[in-house]
Amino acid sequence: MRADRTDAIFSALADPTRRQVIRALSEQGPSTATGLAANLPVTRQAVTKHLITLADAGLVTSTRRGREKLYQISPRPLTDAVSWMADLGARWDDRLAALRDHVLTPKRRR
Amino acid sequence: MRADRTDAIFSALADPTRRQVIRALSEQGPSTATGLAANLPVTRQAVTKHLITLADAGLVTSTRRGREKLYQISPRPLTDAVSWMADLGARWDDRLAALRDHVLTPKRRR
DNA sequence: TTAGATTGCAACCCTAGGGTTGCACTATAC
DNA sequence: GTATAGTGCAACCCTAGGGTTGCAATCTAA
């Protein structure tokens, strides 16, 4: 059972600022906490906390480079959340059923 | 922009008890708050609060029947959340890209 | 070596919200 | 009618967690 995993992912995604962080990382590519905070209405420390939360959920990974720490997205855990929702909605919505089938098919590459 | 909508959906999905409620509704069909609470480790009032939150997010709907109030799932808003995640992950994961394409295609029926 | 930049850590504030109890209200059943 | 099962509402408790400030530690560049 990976209920805790699903927990972490949905909790991580629940916060608007955190979704902004993810979006920013998605658009700008790997960035530091300081760099992200420059474009957000919160302090660097707040961003750092969010990045830690996201890392705990497996949604971002970090690599050191000299004195700075680069964060980048790791979207694979999203598949868990998607499949949770798709599995749920499959009984009512045909499109979601199709999504679930896609999620459950084995990876094609990577 | 329907950022508030996405907010409500992710927040609603963030709580484990709330996901249990959704699961229960999904498996047992329409139920009352009292009925749901019988199978959950929280009181009826807690379940009622969760149902209100879910209703605000559009994830459940309710209908009166005599003295009882029946709740049932309305999974369509899930599509919003799925497309948010799929759009995000599409740049890294081929499967998620395929999902996004499915989400964005117009409905076939209903 | 020294100044500036960047991260890390700790303490703290404050609100949101998940949970409870208690009671009033309403509808069904007898 | 009266008892019972269900809902609705309000007050309250308490923790989680999002945000801040402040400072130490570390690395780079001049």
Side-chain angles (χ1 to χ4, degrees):
Chain A
M1 177 74 74
R2 44 134 79 79
D4 44 355
R5 183 68 172 178
T6 310
D7 260 32
I9 295 170
F10 277 115
S11 299
L13 259 32
D15 185 76
T17 306
R18 220 135 51 206
R19 289 204 306 280
Q20 278 188 270
V21 169
I22 293 184
R23 269 229 171 279
L25 280 179
S26 140
E27 289 163 3
Q28 311 167 12
S31 314
T32 67
T34 309
L36 289 167
N39 300 322
L40 290 173
V42 294
T43 59
R44 168 186 66 91
Q45 290 83 345
V47 173
T48 299
K49 282 191 184 182
H50 287 310
L51 286 170
I52 291 174
T53 303
L54 291 171
D56 286 345
L59 288 165
V60 304
T61 59
S62 62
T63 54
R64 282 222 87 94
R65 200 181 56 184
R67 102 183 112 182
E68 55 188 15
K69 192 171 186 178
L70 283 175
Y71 290 89
Q72 59 183 355
I73 290 200
S74 159
R76 277 187 290 282
L78 287 179
T79 312
D80 285 0
V82 171
S83 76
W84 190 93
M85 292 189 287
D87 181 49
L88 186 67
R91 311 176 190 200
W92 294 268
D93 192 305
D94 293 340
R95 290 181 302 150
L96 285 174
L99 293 189
R100 182 192 49 184
D101 295 342
H102 265 275
V103 169
L104 296 182
T105 53
K107 295 194 174 191
R108 290 174 306 193
R109 52 170 159 142
R110 179 189 297 268
Chain B
M1 177 73 74
R2 42 134 79 78
D4 44 354
R5 183 67 171 179
T6 311
D7 259 31
I9 295 170
F10 277 115
S11 299
L13 259 30
D15 185 76
T17 306
R18 221 134 50 207
R19 288 204 306 280
Q20 278 189 271
V21 169
I22 293 184
R23 269 229 171 279
L25 280 179
S26 142
E27 288 165 3
Q28 311 166 11
S31 313
T32 66
T34 309
L36 289 166
N39 300 323
L40 291 173
V42 292
T43 58
R44 167 186 67 90
Q45 289 83 344
V47 173
T48 299
K49 282 190 183 182
H50 286 310
L51 287 169
I52 291 174
T53 303
L54 291 171
D56 286 345
L59 287 165
V60 305
T61 59
S62 62
T63 54
R64 283 222 86 94
R65 199 180 57 184
R67 102 183 112 182
E68 55 188 13
K69 190 171 188 178
L70 283 175
Y71 290 89
Q72 60 183 356
I73 290 201
S74 158
R76 277 186 291 279
L78 287 180
T79 313
D80 285 0
V82 171
S83 77
W84 190 93
M85 292 189 288
D87 181 49
L88 185 67
R91 313 177 189 200
W92 293 269
D93 193 305
D94 293 341
R95 289 181 303 151
L96 284 175
L99 293 190
R100 182 192 49 184
D101 294 342
H102 264 273
V103 169
L104 296 182
T105 52
K107 295 196 175 190
R108 292 174 305 194
R109 55 169 157 143
R110 181 189 296 268

